[in-house]
Amino acid sequence: MPRKAPKEVVEHRITLGDFERKEMKDMINSYQQDKVLENIPNIMIGSAGLIVAGTAACVGYALYYWLDSVPSIIESVKDGLGVAPNKVKKAFTKSRYASFSTLEEVNAAWDEQEVRLQNQIAFAQRFITAYDNGEVGKFHPEWLVNAQRKIITNQTETMANFAIEKSDYIARWREWKASQTNNQES
């Protein structure tokens, strides 16, 4: 059924005062905060998923690394029991010893490390000398100078240990080389 056209139009107006406007602002702010807080569980679930995936990746890598080392563990046990015929060959064939064919190459590899340690000691000694002579200024704290002295002490001890390790390494390399020569002759 058709409707009649209205005879008059009534306009309703709501006027808000300061108190009502403040209450409306509070209501709008609380609504916006609720919308933000609704997403926090989603963010937490995403973060937890990322942590679980990272943990799974780390466990997978550790498992892969462990499974990759199982054959070498088994060989080590056999070597310890005396099952392997040539312990020296099995121990050094797949190691860094096999990459060197001459004694000069072995010495060159160790000399690089020795030069690096000597450079660290020389830098620390130059700094301490410059500090003692007043060339670097007194704005450097005393603990920094003491740290440089500690570096010199530690690196000097490291150099002494390094010389022992180098001689041990060369002896093992010569033993490994001799075993390689003996195996080729057989």
Side-chain angles (χ1 to χ4, degrees), residues 10-183:
V10 179
E11 181 179 305
H12 296 282
R13 177 179 291 168
I14 300 174
T15 305
L16 301 176
D18 288 341
F19 176 76
E20 289 84 10
R21 287 187 186 132
K22 182 180 175 286
E23 291 298 317
M24 286 294 284
K25 280 185 182 178
D26 290 344
M27 184 180 71
I28 290 170
N29 287 339
S30 121
Y31 177 76
Q32 288 174 342
Q33 287 176 353
D34 285 346
K35 285 296 178 189
V36 169
L37 292 175
E38 283 178 2
N39 292 326
I40 287 180
N42 295 336
I43 293 170
M44 291 175 66
I45 289 172
S47 299
L50 185 62
I51 290 170
V52 167
T55 303
C58 288
V59 168
Y61 177 74
L63 185 62
Y64 168 77
Y65 183 77
W66 181 77
L67 288 176
D68 189 39
S69 66
V70 167
S72 63
I73 294 171
I74 293 171
E75 287 179 14
S76 298
V77 170
K78 286 181 180 177
D79 285 346
L81 297 174
V83 175
N86 188 351
K87 291 181 186 178
V88 175
K89 180 182 176 188
K90 284 196 181 265
F92 295 120
T93 300
K94 293 184 180 179
S95 71
R96 59 185 174 169
Y97 294 95
S99 64
F100 303 120
S101 58
T102 64
L103 189 57
E104 288 78 23
E105 291 175 353
V106 173
N107 282 325
W110 280 90
D111 289 344
E112 276 182 38
Q113 297 297 326
E114 193 171 7
V115 166
R116 183 182 58 79
L117 288 171
Q118 287 172 347
N119 287 340
Q120 288 176 351
I121 292 171
F123 175 80
Q125 286 174 336
R126 283 193 307 268
F127 177 81
I128 290 172
T129 303
Y131 181 80
D132 290 341
N133 293 338
E135 296 170 6
V136 293
K138 295 296 181 186
F139 62 89
H140 291 293
E142 188 65 30
W143 62 265
L144 181 62
V145 177
N146 290 335
Q148 295 295 322
R149 288 187 174 112
K150 185 75 171 169
I151 287 173
I152 291 173
T153 303
N154 290 343
Q155 296 299 38
T156 305
E157 290 174 10
T158 303
M159 285 290 288
N161 293 336
F162 189 78
I164 294 169
E165 289 175 8
K166 180 179 178 181
S167 62
D168 182 53
Y169 183 91
I170 290 173
R172 289 177 185 260
W173 183 84
R174 286 181 175 152
E175 183 181 337
W176 177 77
K177 236 5 186 176
S179 72
Q180 291 296 312
T181 306
N182 291 340
N183 288 338

